[in-house]
């Protein structure tokens, strides 16, 4: 098995396809933000709950945090694609 693929994260292998249109993929970014927000809301509820529910195991909490980090990496990838493929607006006025 290839060592590069054995020790990689999903975010390491995901990239924006070469045939994706130029510009900011706002729908994909919005979706990724909503996913991360949902995961964090569930985590927040877990700690703020006053019920007698058992606490989640540390490995589950770590996986939740890891998931949000991965989603932030995806948002970064999408944002960098938008920045790299967008045409800057012409500057008007002031020193240039």
């Amino acid at each position: 098995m290839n060592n590069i693929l054995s020790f990689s994260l999903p975010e390491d292998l995901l990239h924006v396809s070469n045939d994706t249109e130029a510009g900011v993929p706002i729908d994909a970014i919005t979706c990724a933000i909503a996913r991360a927000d949902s995961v964090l809301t569930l985590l927040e509820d877990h700690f703020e709950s006053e019920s007698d529910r058992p606490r989640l195991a540390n490995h589950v909490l770590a996986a939740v945090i890891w998931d949000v980090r991965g989603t932030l990496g995806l948002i970064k990838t999408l944002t960098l694609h938008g920045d790299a493929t967008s045409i800057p607006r012409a500057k008007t006025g002031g020193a240039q």
Side-chain angles (χ1 to χ4, degrees):
M1 184 177 219
N2 186 339
N3 281 339
I4 293 173
L5 296 179
S6 297
F7 300 106
S8 62
L9 301 173
E11 301 80 44
D12 297 335
L13 302 175
L14 299 176
H15 66 281
V16 178
S17 175
N18 291 334
D19 59 351
T20 301
E21 289 183 30
V24 177
I26 195 66
D27 288 341
I29 292 171
T30 303
C31 178
I33 291 169
R35 287 179 185 174
D37 186 55
S38 297
V39 170
L40 291 174
T41 299
L42 290 172
L43 184 62
E44 182 180 31
D45 181 60
H46 173 72
F47 287 110
E48 290 183 349
S49 175
E50 295 182 15
S51 69
D52 292 333
R53 289 185 307 195
R55 281 210 43 185
L56 293 172
N58 285 344
H59 74 277
V60 174
L61 296 173
V64 168
I65 294 167
W66 200 11
D67 175 72
V68 173
R69 279 197 178 143
T71 303
L72 291 172
L74 176 60
I75 293 168
K76 179 181 177 182
T77 299
L78 295 170
T79 305
L80 290 174
H81 165 77
D83 182 57
T85 60
S86 295
I87 300 169
R89 242 184 347 194
K91 295 181 182 180
T92 57
Q96 296 181 30

